[in-house]
Amino acid sequence: MPVLITYATSRGSTKEVADRIASRLHAVGFAVDCRPVDHVFSVENYSAVIIGSPIYHQKWLLDAQKFVDVEAVGLRMKPVWAFSLGMVGKPGWRRARAIKKETSRIEDVLIQKVPKVRDHRLFGGKDDGSSVSTPLRGLYRCLGGSFGDMRDWTAIDSWTSLIAKELHADGL
């Protein structure tokens, strides 16, 4: 059975990360199916699931939240990994504190619904800031945030390699 890589996205950045994960898993011999959460009708025919979403207001997109709610029973019976794209910025205590809070909120919700999520990673996202008002952009920058493509492809690739090792160890 293939590995499902599913995602919610608002501007395409999370799709690009999901496609990268799918490509790397396929390259090491796994059958993969990469699709948006609203195009997955059941997780029954998959051996494992990787789900991702951007974070807005310290929550996953509604489509991703609904997917986890609807598929919670099926997800509990499979190896599941999750990733989020979110807050990025200059290193410092403010950023570290905000990232810790954001990560723990996402993980708390996930673990309530799918207690055996093997791992959740928060990666930097991609945002040019064009959808944010000028005053909010300024405030965000004052708090240590920055705009642009902050995705760390090396970290994403390393995480994917860890998943592949676990899948091989499980005999999938």
Side-chain angles (χ1 to χ4, degrees), residues 47-147:
S47 57
V49 178
I50 302 168
I51 180 172
S53 175
I55 299 173
Y56 290 99
H57 308 292
Q58 298 183 345
K59 294 179 183 176
W60 271 6
L61 291 181
L62 189 56
D63 284 350
Q65 293 177 49
K66 285 181 181 178
F67 173 82
V68 171
D69 287 342
V70 169
E71 296 294 333
V73 172
L75 291 170
R76 287 183 186 133
M77 296 186 278
K78 308 209 177 279
V80 176
W81 290 266
F83 69 93
S84 302
L85 297 185
M87 188 172 214
V88 295
K90 300 171 193 163
W93 68 270
R94 283 187 191 127
R95 177 177 179 253
R97 186 173 163 198
I99 287 171
K100 184 177 180 181
K101 184 177 180 180
E102 191 170 74
T103 301
S104 97
R105 282 195 179 189
I106 296 297
E107 289 173 356
D108 289 347
V109 170
L110 269 174
I111 289 169
Q112 285 175 5
K113 296 171 184 173
V114 187
K116 295 182 182 178
V117 172
R118 291 196 177 182
D119 191 17
H120 168 258
R121 294 289 172 101
L122 173 65
F123 299 112
K126 177 180 166 183
D127 190 347
D128 63 4
S130 63
S131 64
V132 180
S133 69
T134 302
L136 287 177
R137 272 197 310 268
L139 177 62
Y140 182 66
R141 285 192 174 116
C142 286
L143 294 173
S146 60
F147 295 100

Side-chain angles (χ1 to χ4, degrees), residues 4-59:
L4 173 65
I5 297 102
T6 188
Y7 57 89
T9 190
S10 61
R11 295 185 203 127
S13 179
T14 310
K15 177 190 183 322
E16 292 171 0
V17 172
D19 287 342
R20 175 77 165 243
I21 293 168
S23 172
R24 297 206 33 106
L25 288 176
H26 181 71
V28 294
F30 291 99
V32 296
D33 187 6
C34 186
R35 58 179 59 207
V37 292
D38 58 354
H39 286 85
V40 177
F41 303 105
S42 173
V43 296
E44 185 178 333
N45 294 320
Y46 296 101
S47 57
V49 178
I50 302 168
I51 180 172
S53 175
I55 299 173
Y56 290 99
H57 308 292
Q58 298 183 345
K59 294 179 183 176

